[in-house]
Amino acid sequence: MKILETALICPLPEYLEELASGLALEKQSVLDIEVYRYEIDEEFAILLYDLSAREKISPEALEHLSPHLSALLIVTDNEVEDLPAEASGFIEEFAWNLEQVPTVLALRTDREKLHSLNPHILQSGFYLSERGRVLFWHPKQRDTRQRVWGTLWETLQELSV
């Protein structure tokens, strides 16, 4: 079985619950970090290391994890600037250290804003960089949630070949 590891940063835990609604995530703990395991099929699984609780994560654990990470998933909303300075500083520093790792930024937005997006951007998001993608989602729109996970799975599978 191929297991790919992904860093997860989600400052509001309810956003992860909303985004993962309908997915059978198994919660575990590794190196005192909460980990969500999702088996896509019998040969492919993804581990999501929840790095949102910065104060609980030792620098040694991050140093140990970093070389094994295949992607970074950041789940937030349009109010990124409202994050506490220490949290946004940690996210920026950690993302900088993983600049070569594909990143998916999943922005939770309200329905009105979601429907006002250009259909192409709504469907495929837009690129932040060569390895970075922004996708928009709403908790009550299953297709937008699936698009976030589908993009992450596709990115990881491309890397695993």
Side-chain angles (χ1 to χ4, degrees):
M1 171 179 274
K2 180 164 271 303
I3 297 175
L4 295 174
E5 297 165 291
T6 300
L8 167 69
I9 297 175
C10 184
L12 298 172
E14 59 268 21
Y15 285 3
L16 178 60
E17 291 172 20
E18 292 172 346
L19 184 63
S21 175
L23 293 180
L25 296 179
E26 297 174 28
K27 196 172 184 179
Q28 306 170 347
S29 182
V30 175
L31 299 171
D32 294 327
I33 299 171
E34 287 185 357
V35 179
Y36 300 93
R37 179 187 176 101
Y38 182 68
E39 289 195 23
I40 294 177
D41 59 37
E42 61 277 348
E43 295 184 26
F44 186 46
I46 294 187
L47 296 179
L48 297 165
Y49 292 91
D50 188 354
L51 305 180
S52 305
R54 177 181 78 77
E55 63 279 349
K56 294 181 185 175
I57 302 166
S58 71
E60 295 80 21
L62 286 177
E63 190 175 317
H64 175 76
L65 266 181
S66 293
H68 304 286
L69 295 173
S70 301
L72 171 60
L73 173 61
I74 301 172
V75 181
T76 189
D77 59 21
N78 297 13
E79 308 302 322
V80 177
E81 66 274 0
D82 290 345
L83 292 176
E86 71 234 13
S88 59
F90 168 73
I91 292 169
E92 185 177 338
E93 180 182 337
F94 189 73
W96 180 259
N97 290 333
L98 294 176
E99 68 180 321
Q100 297 304 315
V101 172
T103 300
V104 174
L105 175 58
L107 282 178
R108 183 185 188 275
T109 191
D110 58 48
R111 284 187 177 190
E112 296 78 36
K113 290 179 183 174
L114 197 63
H115 291 297
S116 69
L117 287 172
N118 171 303
H120 179 71
I121 290 176
L122 179 60
Q123 184 64 33
S124 43
F126 62 86
Y127 289 93
L128 284 171
S129 66
E130 183 180 330
R131 295 180 156 256
R133 190 87 158 268
V134 175
L135 296 166
F136 300 90
W137 66 281
H138 185 273
K140 298 207 188 287
Q141 291 193 250
R142 185 174 181 227
D143 62 322
T144 63
R145 296 189 327 259
Q146 287 177 325
R147 209 171 289 124
V148 171
W149 295 114
T151 300
L152 182 63
W153 306 159
E154 289 168 18
T155 300
L156 290 170
Q157 287 180 325
E158 287 171 10
L159 293 171
S160 69
V161 176

